Amino acid sequence: MDLEAYLASFDGEPGYLDWAAFGPLSPSVRSEVHADAELLGSGRRAGIDLIGEHVLEARELLAELLGADAEQVALQPSTTAGLMQAIYGLAGGLMLSRGEFPSLTVTATRAAAALGSIDLQWLEPENGFVTPELVREALTGDTRAVAVSLVDFRTGYRADLTALRDVIGDRLLIVDAMQGFGAVEADYAAADVVCGNGYKWLRAGRGTGFAWFGERALERIAPVLSGWAGVDGDLPVDLVPQPTASAQAFTVSRPDHLAVARLATALRDVRDVGIDYIDAELSERSRDVIFFADRYEVPVLTPREPERRGGIVTLAPAVQDVGPLAASLANHGITVTVRSGLVRVAPHVGTGADTLRLFGDALAAFSSARVW
Ligand SMILES: Cc1ncc(COP(=O)(O)O)c(C=O)c1O
């Protein structure tokens, strides 16, 4: 797939600015699903096996995009399932922000309660940004791991993984990359665990999760939730073997091959187009959103520096403006997420001029009716 074909593949209705909630499936993912469903319905062993081959393909593509080894990539049902694999295997202090998506906060709280061996060290950043400075000040001798989102679901803040690594030394860095993987460039080598899912920015649908475990993570994280798929060799019957030494230990059962086929297809598109191109284009689209917000004087919570944001631009209107702004967006056919007084606007690379014009019109209509 070349750049032009990639841009043309965003073939949904104008007005969709909610890629941070759900990414409408790409045409290549849709046609892969149809073809694979037919093969799985054929009753021919060769057809069934062919779909199974997407497992290795997906892991290799993930490894390529992460700059890692396919052995260290384990497919998962979801981001949260991958994070559970990592967090339940920890011991000692785990630092994270209270503002994180519940994939981290709930998982960490449940794991701490169940195991009794994890000490939660909560950060409470005023603006929701987990900066290296904040982490540096909060670290203690007991901190063993720091968990953070690559791109924050609420504010759109993009974490600086390289700087976080510098600050935490050789403690574990666990990254929830759901809102950034396949959308922005990131220094994954600075992390120890990276988890994500393909149903937003990758346009692959649900069930397309993954987790990468680097060397340090494999040494220090126990595969507490390891299932029968997490062993060397074939089906472990009669005798129960140890979990395998690779990242496959952090799996429970066989993956959904149809989901994996969707993931592999979406990853191939991203790899072919290039994450550097996607990042640069996405940055332009979010800058367009910020432009209209500024023009109509709607406060923006997301950092303005391109390297500190991704595809999420969060508007923070005055309390009395939230309802009218949300109504104007809806009336203009714009889909966004409105939550806790914030309006999250999430374009993708293929968000066209027609959608941005509708967005601008919605803000103009809201602005002209606004009572100062
Ligand atoms: C930062 C972040 N992490 C995790 C999730 C949930 O991921 P999953 O459904 O793959 O568990 C979301 C969903 O919005 C998210 O924004």
Side-chain angles (χ1 to χ4, degrees):
M1 167 165 294
D2 62 12
L3 306 185
E4 221 168 294
Y6 183 67
L7 282 174
S9 74
F10 288 79
D11 58 351
E13 308 240 322
Y16 195 77
L17 287 172
D18 213 8
W19 291 87
F22 181 79
L25 305 190
S26 70
S28 50
V29 164
R30 270 138 51 197
S31 54
E32 182 75 29
V33 169
H34 295 308
D36 290 351
E38 289 307 319
L39 271 175
L40 282 182
S42 70
R44 282 192 297 272
R45 166 78 64 201
I48 298 166
D49 289 349
L50 200 65
I51 308 305
E53 286 172 15
H54 289 303
V55 171
L56 189 57
E57 188 193 3
R59 281 177 40 211
E60 283 173 353
L61 284 162
L62 284 162
E64 199 178 329
L65 289 170
L66 289 160
D69 185 340
E71 266 298 293
Q72 298 178 328
V73 177
L75 298 177
Q76 302 288 337
S78 65
T79 314
T80 310
L83 291 169
M84 290 177 86
Q85 287 286 348
I87 289 174
Y88 275 75
L90 293 176
L94 167 62
M95 181 171 291
L96 72 164
S97 160
R98 285 217 189 268
E100 290 288 354
F101 193 83
S103 51
L104 283 175
T105 56
V106 172
T107 300
T109 304
R110 298 288 179 264
L115 306 175
S117 51
I118 299 174
D119 250 338
L120 297 182
Q121 303 181 325
W122 295 106
L123 297 170
E124 310 214 4
E126 221 169 275
N127 52 9
F129 303 171
V130 180
T131 62
E133 296 73 34
L134 183 82
V135 171
R136 182 192 290 120
E137 279 167 27
L139 284 176
T140 72
D142 296 329
T143 312
R144 292 281 168 275
V146 174
V148 69
S149 285
L150 173 56
V151 174
D152 181 50
F153 82 109
R154 191 165 4 201
T155 63
Y157 174 80
R158 188 198 312 195
D160 184 342
L161 301 185
T162 317
L164 284 172
R165 165 56 61 205
D166 282 349
V167 164
I168 67 171
D170 97 323
R171 297 169 171 99
L172 293 173
L173 182 58
I174 298 172
V175 177
D176 175 343
M178 177 77 231
Q179 293 290 8
F181 185 81
V184 301
E185 286 189 291
D187 179 11
Y188 294 118
D192 296 296
V193 177
V194 176
C195 300
N197 199 346
Y199 70 87
K200 299 178 194 276
W201 303 96
L202 288 174
R203 311 188 285 162
R206 285 190 183 263
T208 53
F210 63 88
W212 166 72
F213 291 78
E215 288 303 328
R216 192 167 17 209
L218 291 172
E219 275 166 29
R220 298 193 201 159
I221 301 180
V224 171
L225 302 180
S226 195
W228 65 264
V231 302
D232 286 319
D234 234 355
L235 202 61
V237 285
D238 302 328
L239 288 176
V240 177
Q242 290 296 311
T244 174
S246 80
Q248 305 320 305
F250 297 93
T251 56
V252 174
S253 180
R254 294 261 160 83
D256 170 352
H257 289 172
L258 274 179
V260 175
R262 286 187 269 115
L263 176 62
T265 304
L267 291 169
R268 219 180 300 122
D269 289 350
V270 168
R271 191 268 319 265
D272 291 352
V273 177
I275 192 67
D276 48 346
Y277 167 80
I278 292 176
D279 187 327
E281 282 295 310
L282 185 57
S283 177
E284 292 293 300
R285 294 298 89 74
S286 18
R287 199 193 42 142
D288 293 339
V289 170
I290 293 174
F291 166 81
F292 282 114
D294 287 346
R295 181 161 170 184
Y296 297 106
E297 297 176 54
V298 181
V300 174
L301 199 62
T302 309
R304 275 151 197 277
E305 312 92 284
E307 65 279 12
R308 291 282 70 78
R309 58 178 158 84
I312 293 177
V313 177
T314 302
L315 312 181
V319 178
Q320 70 276 14
D321 286 343
V322 177
L325 176 57
S328 183
L329 289 165
N331 290 341
H332 284 80
I334 294 284
T335 306
V336 293
T337 291
V338 181
R339 192 193 282 133
S340 319
L342 300 174
V343 179
R344 186 178 68 182
V345 186
H348 205 325
V349 172
T351 296
D354 45 358
T355 297
L356 290 165
R357 202 173 312 115
L358 284 173
F359 180 66
D361 291 349
L363 261 56
F366 153 74
S367 169
S368 64
R370 177 159 48 177
V371 183
W372 288 96

